[in-house]
Amino acid sequence: MPTFFSMTYDKQILQILTAVGEQGIGVQQLAKHVYNLSCTLFSQPDLQEVHRYVQQYLLRQSKSAQSLIERTERRGYYRLNTLNNADARSLMLQFREQQADEPAGQEPEKPKVDLSLSLFD
């Protein structure tokens, strides 16, 4: 697998783990999210390869108590290690700031009425 995709997958994994928060997410669900984020009109990665990469990444990044990612109490679930890792805490703070910047409960803009003249009237 080219390093470009692995760097992209790494960022996507951290983004998803940041979004799910303390409850964590299962390996299968995480792999599906990464797969869906990686699919484009011109390329579609193999789901099994993405799952294998996500699984290996989580295993590598959750080896010690100070790792960026930790296992949860549920088997096969992972989350960011916010208690023992400063990088994980900063990722969570950045995510919370981004959510606070987005207007909550704001209605989407209504389309403007087209006041142009029609050629076919």
Side-chain angles (χ1 to χ4, degrees):
M1 185 177 303
T3 57
F4 171 74
F5 289 115
S6 62
M7 288 175 54
T8 304
Y9 291 163
D10 295 351
K11 289 179 183 178
Q12 291 171 346
I13 291 168
L14 292 175
Q15 178 185 10
I16 295 165
L17 287 173
T18 303
V20 296
E22 291 294 315
Q23 73 269 13
I25 188 170
V27 177
Q28 185 70 30
Q29 294 168 322
L30 183 58
K32 285 181 182 178
H33 282 292
V34 171
Y35 172 78
N36 288 333
L37 288 172
S38 301
C39 286
T40 65
L41 183 62
F42 302 108
S43 68
Q44 191 171 9
D46 182 37
L47 180 59
Q48 290 177 343
E49 285 182 26
V50 172
H51 183 271
R52 213 173 303 121
Y53 181 84
V54 168
Q55 191 172 34
Q56 291 300 315
Y57 179 82
L58 292 172
L59 290 173
R60 280 193 317 267
Q61 298 297 324
S62 64
K63 287 190 176 187
S64 73
Q66 288 78 29
S67 295
L68 180 62
I69 299 170
E70 68 179 349
R71 294 181 184 138
T72 65
E73 298 78 33
R74 275 180 80 176
R75 185 175 179 262
Y77 274 65
Y78 292 85
R79 65 179 170 216
L80 290 178
N81 185 3
T82 55
L83 295 177
N84 298 325
N85 191 292
D87 292 335
R89 284 191 294 273
S90 67
L91 280 173
M92 290 301 288
L93 288 174
Q94 288 173 354
F95 181 72
R96 288 183 186 143
E97 288 172 0
Q98 287 176 354
Q99 281 187 332
D101 290 344
E102 296 174 0
Q106 190 177 38
E107 292 183 21
E109 282 188 35
K110 295 179 183 175
K112 295 181 180 178
V113 177
D114 185 17
L115 300 175
S116 61
L117 297 174
S118 174
L119 295 174
F120 302 106
D121 282 339

